[in-house]
């Protein structure tokens, strides 16, 4: 058997002989070919003894190597600054609500950058559907944690939340009314873009997560149940039913794990985060009764709203109304106007808390401006803190159990159910609430085509949608 080094020496000698031939061009061509062959054979292990490790034939691949490719991170990992800038851009361009945000995230990290696989991303979405809090923001925190650890989750949240929080806090400080009619066309154009983004994400996830008949049936059943039911508890039933169906029906479809990546895990840190979550639920109401200034009462109201809401998004509005309107901190008119303004900005709906925090202290001159800034920051952190604690506390354990074969079978069913959930939300309220005409349907198809064939990046599509929506409103 010829070892790599003698083989390279023989080929190099042959190359020198060829170089001296009259047919110089032809000889140079074969010299390049022979060197390339030698390099490929040496790299693939030709000439190695059979007992050496990793001496697998280079022409044999496993089934999952082509069917389920692992994601590829940049050499050296992803820096915190890069994570922040990516999520800042998403925070500036992600219109359309929580489901659209999930579509934007998938387009950025799964389809475009390929830093996460569809399976791992769907596992994260499934976890965030289980726990209370803003689902899309928790998905963003989970992505940041997977890429950059604990600090990655924080910078991801900061980048995604900051743009809309600043705008809404400014509106709350200098509230003189907000006329949505002035930007109605822009909002409509952005909604059409959101429909196209969600449709593109849904079909992409369906191709990856429902490749066979059993999982396609699970997705259809999940969508039908969610459309027929209007309760948040139906979401838990669908996800648990999907997991049970996966345990029973999909065990034979579990193959080798092509995405063994994991988040930086710390059992002590995860337990501490979960304990903090529950301790604050009990401790803050006690501090609110003992504090004469009312600061802890505000913190408790917003923390409880973020910790006890299931479904995220607009579901938090009744809890916030009970937290600030019922005690008389904010009047109903100011509350509704701020909610309307929230629809006109990108990013998570929970940044409505920044507006309400600023509106608690207006009209007191320079001192009132400083107090409004501080209160806005406090309420924003209070409403997102439980979501972050749950992600930090649960994601390391979730990452461990998702690699167990029986659990992966269950997660296959959960992922199919998640596809059904997204399909149900795409239908109602996104599709039914948009009141689409022929022109609007054409715009949605155009957005889908642009994303499908990557003609333009998402942020450019969002900007074009705003411009087209404004121009059509003029006629």
């Amino acid at each position: 058997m010829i070892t790599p080094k003698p083989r390279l020496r023989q080929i190099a000698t042959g190359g020198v002989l060829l170089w001296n031939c009259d047919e110089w061009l032809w000889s140079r061509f074969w010299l390049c070919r022979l060197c390339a062959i030698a390099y490929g054979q040496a790299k693939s292990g030709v000439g190695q003894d059979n007992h050496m490790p990793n001496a697998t034939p280079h022409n044999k691949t496993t089934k999952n190597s082509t069917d389920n490719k692992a994601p590829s991170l940049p050499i050296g990992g992803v820096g915190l600054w890069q994570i922040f800038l990516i999520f800042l851009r998403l925070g500036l361009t992600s219109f359309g609500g929580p489901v659209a945000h999930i579509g934007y995230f998938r387009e950025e990290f799964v389809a475009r950058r390929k830093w996460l696989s569809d399976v791992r991303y769907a596992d994260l979405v499934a976890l965030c559907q289980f726990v209370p809090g803003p689902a899309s923001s928790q998905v963003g925190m989970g992505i940041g944690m997977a890429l950059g650890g604990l600090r990655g989750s924080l910078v991801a949240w900061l980048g995604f939340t900051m743009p809309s929080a600043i705008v809404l806090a400014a509106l709350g400080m200098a509230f003189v009314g907000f006329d949505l009619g002035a930007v109605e066309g822009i909002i409509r154009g952005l909604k059409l873009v959101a429909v196209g983004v969600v449709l593109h994400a849904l079909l992409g996830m369906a191709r990856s997560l429902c490749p066979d008949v059993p999982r396609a049936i699970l997705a259809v059943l999940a969508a039908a149940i969610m459309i027929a039911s209007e309760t948040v508890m139906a979401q838990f039933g669908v996800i648990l039913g999907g997991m049970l169906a996966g345990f029973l029906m999909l065990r034979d479809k579990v193959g080798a794990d092509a995405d063994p990546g994991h988040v930086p895990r710390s059992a002590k840190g995860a337990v501490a985060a979960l304990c903090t979550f529950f301790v604050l639920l009990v401790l803050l109401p006690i501090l609110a009764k003992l504090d004469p200034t009312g600061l802890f009462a505000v913190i408790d109201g917003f923390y409880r709203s973020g910790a006890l809401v299931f479904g995220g998004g607009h579901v938090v509005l009744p809890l916030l109304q009970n937290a600030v309107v019922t005690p008389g901190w904010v009047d109903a008119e100011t509350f509704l106007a701020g909610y309307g303004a929230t629809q006109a900005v990108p990013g998570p709906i929970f940044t409505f808390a920044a507006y309400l925090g600023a509106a608690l202290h207006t009209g007191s001159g320079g001192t009132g401006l400083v107090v409004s800034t501080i209160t806005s920051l406090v309420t924003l952190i209070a409403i997102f803190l439980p979501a972050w604690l749950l992600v930090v506390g649960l994601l390391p354990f979730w990452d461990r159990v998702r690699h167990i074969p029986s659990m992966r079978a269950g997660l296959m069913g959960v992922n199919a159910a998640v596809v059904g959930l997204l399909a149900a939300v795409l239908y109602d309220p996104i599709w039914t609430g948009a009141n689409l005409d022929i022109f609007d349907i054409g715009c949605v198809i155009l957005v889908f085509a642009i994303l499908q064939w990557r003609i333009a990046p998402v942020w450019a599509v969002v900007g074009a949608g705003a411009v087209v929506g404004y121009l059509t409103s003029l006629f």
Side-chain angles (χ1 to χ4, degrees), residues 18 389 391:
L18 288 173
L389 290 174
V391 170

Side-chain angles (χ1 to χ4, degrees), residues 167-190:
V167 173
L168 291 174
L171 287 174
M173 293 177 194
F175 181 74
V176 292
F178 188 80
D179 183 15
L180 285 178
V183 293
E184 183 177 356
I186 296 177
I187 294 176
R188 183 164 185 79
L190 294 174

